[in-house]
């Protein structure tokens, strides 16, 4: 029994090594429709998710449907990823509200990394992608992300509203893949549909990514001073594409940046980002 126990673990380890090697050395099998299930089994043992650090403070912050995958493989399948984030604030009363700060500090990871710090009102950071490798062969992949924020009937009482959003600080980490770092403070900041993907291979298939961000603020009554906090981003160390943004104020937009290092479009590849801000 003791000898059998000593040899059982190496045999299991060899099976895992052979399964991982199948991903690295049998790329030709991707063109076979029947290989989809086999690759799905192989990928079960791989770390597919990257690292996401998100810190938000304030009202109506949205951070939805962001992706940080190490590898995504689709063979002759149809994938739909639909995400709708809607936030409505109908009656908000401010009486000298003071908000704290937000801080996101990246770590050391063996894959993609996503760091977002937001503070204030109506910040959006949605539909961003930091996937390392995407392989699509004779399949269809659809990502549709919609973020809508509406702030209406806002009453600001008193001669001095004195709203003080805190500071936002994002610090990038060390990653063996793409990295996105964003810090936002203020009102109606949009940071959506940005991509830091490292490699996208599309062979006789369809890849469609559509991101829509809408922020609307109706007229508010009453005078008042607004003091916005500071937004700062310190880039990290990344092997791959990196997107960094620091925004402060009202109606800032940083959306739809492609950022893909290598794109092999042997099929239909579409990326569309729409950002709209309305302020009364």
């Amino acid at each position: 029994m003791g000898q059998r126990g000593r040899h059982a673990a190496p045999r299991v380890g060899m099976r895992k090594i052979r399964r991982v090697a199948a991903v690295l050395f049998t790329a030709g099998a991707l063109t076979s429709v029947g290989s989809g299930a086999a690759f799905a089994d192989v990928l079960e043992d791989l770390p597919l998710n990257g690292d996401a650090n998100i810190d938000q403070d304030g009202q109506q912050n949205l951070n939805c449907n962001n992706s940080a995958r190490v590898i995504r493989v689709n063979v002759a399948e149809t994938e739909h990823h639909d995400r709708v984030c809607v936030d409505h604030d109908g009656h908000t009363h401010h009486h000298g509200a003071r908000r704290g700060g937000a801080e996101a500090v990246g770590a050391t990871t063996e894959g993609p990394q996503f760091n977002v710090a937001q503070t204030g009102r109506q910040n959006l950071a949605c539909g961003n992608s930091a996937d390392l490798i995407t392989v699509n062969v004779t399949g269809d992949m659809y990502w549709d992300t919609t973020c809508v924020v509406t702030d209406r009937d806002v009453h600001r009482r008193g001669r001095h509203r004195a709203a003080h959003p805190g500071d936002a600080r994002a610090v990038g980490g060390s990653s063996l893949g793409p990295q996105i770092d964003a810090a936002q403070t203020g009102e109606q900041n949009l940071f959506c549909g940005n991509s830091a993907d490292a490699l996208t291979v599309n062979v006789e298939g369809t890849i469609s990514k559509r991101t829509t961000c809408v922020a609307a603020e109706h007229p508010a009554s009453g005078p008042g001073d607004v003091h916005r906090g500071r937004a700062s981003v310190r880039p990290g160390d990344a092997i791959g594409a990196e997107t960094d943004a620091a925004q402060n104020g009202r109606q800032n937009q940083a959306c739809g940046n492609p950022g893909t290092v290598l794109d092999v479009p042997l099929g239909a590849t579409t990326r569309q980002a729409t950002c709209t801000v309305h302020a009364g």
Side-chain angles (χ1 to χ4, degrees), residues 44-269:
E44 287 181 358
D45 294 334
L46 297 179
L48 299 182
N49 291 323
D51 188 41
N53 300 295
I54 299 170
D55 189 15
Q56 299 185 134
D57 180 64
Q59 296 176 353
Q60 297 183 341
N61 286 311
L62 297 183
N63 189 303
C64 68
N65 211 29
N66 300 302
S67 178
R69 300 268 291 188
V70 175
I71 183 170
R72 187 186 301 273
V73 177
N74 180 39
V75 180
E77 297 289 341
T78 299
E79 295 184 6
H80 285 276
H81 302 273
D82 298 327
R83 183 71 182 273
V84 178
C85 294
V86 179
D87 198 340
H88 298 288
D89 185 11
H91 302 279
T92 302
H93 301 274
H94 300 282
H95 300 278
R98 181 181 295 273
R99 302 179 181 89
E103 181 178 65
V105 179
T108 299
T109 177
E110 297 179 353
Q113 193 166 138
F114 205 101
N115 306 305
V116 177
Q118 299 186 135
T119 178
R121 295 174 56 207
Q122 297 184 341
N123 287 309
L124 299 181
C126 67
N128 300 301
S129 176
D131 294 344
L132 182 61
I133 300 175
T134 299
V135 178
N136 181 45
V137 180
T138 66
D140 298 318
M141 305 176 74
Y142 299 96
W143 283 271
D144 193 349
T145 305
T146 302
C147 291
V148 179
V149 175
T150 303
D151 185 14
R152 58 181 182 271
D153 193 19
V154 179
H155 301 283
R156 300 170 181 172
R157 297 181 178 178
R159 177 171 298 179
H160 297 286
R161 176 175 161 234
H164 301 275
D167 299 337
R169 178 172 176 261
V171 179
S174 300
S175 61
L176 297 177
Q179 190 170 139
I180 292 180
D181 305 307
Q184 299 185 132
T185 177
E187 296 183 358
Q188 296 184 342
N189 287 309
L190 299 182
F191 184 82
C192 67
N194 299 296
S195 174
D197 299 347
L199 173 63
T200 300
V201 179
N202 184 26
V203 182
E204 295 185 357
T206 300
I207 296 179
S208 177
K209 296 184 178 181
R210 184 175 61 182
T211 305
T212 302
C213 291
V214 179
E217 181 182 15
H218 292 268
S221 59
D225 298 328
V226 178
H227 303 280
R228 299 177 180 86
R230 295 182 298 271
S232 63
V233 170
R234 190 174 70 192
D237 298 322
I239 299 179
E242 188 168 6
T243 299
D244 305 303
Q247 299 186 130
N248 180 296
R250 295 186 58 190
Q251 299 180 351
N252 288 311
Q253 297 188 23
C255 67
N257 299 307
T260 303
V261 174
L262 182 59
D263 201 347
V264 184
L266 302 179
T269 302

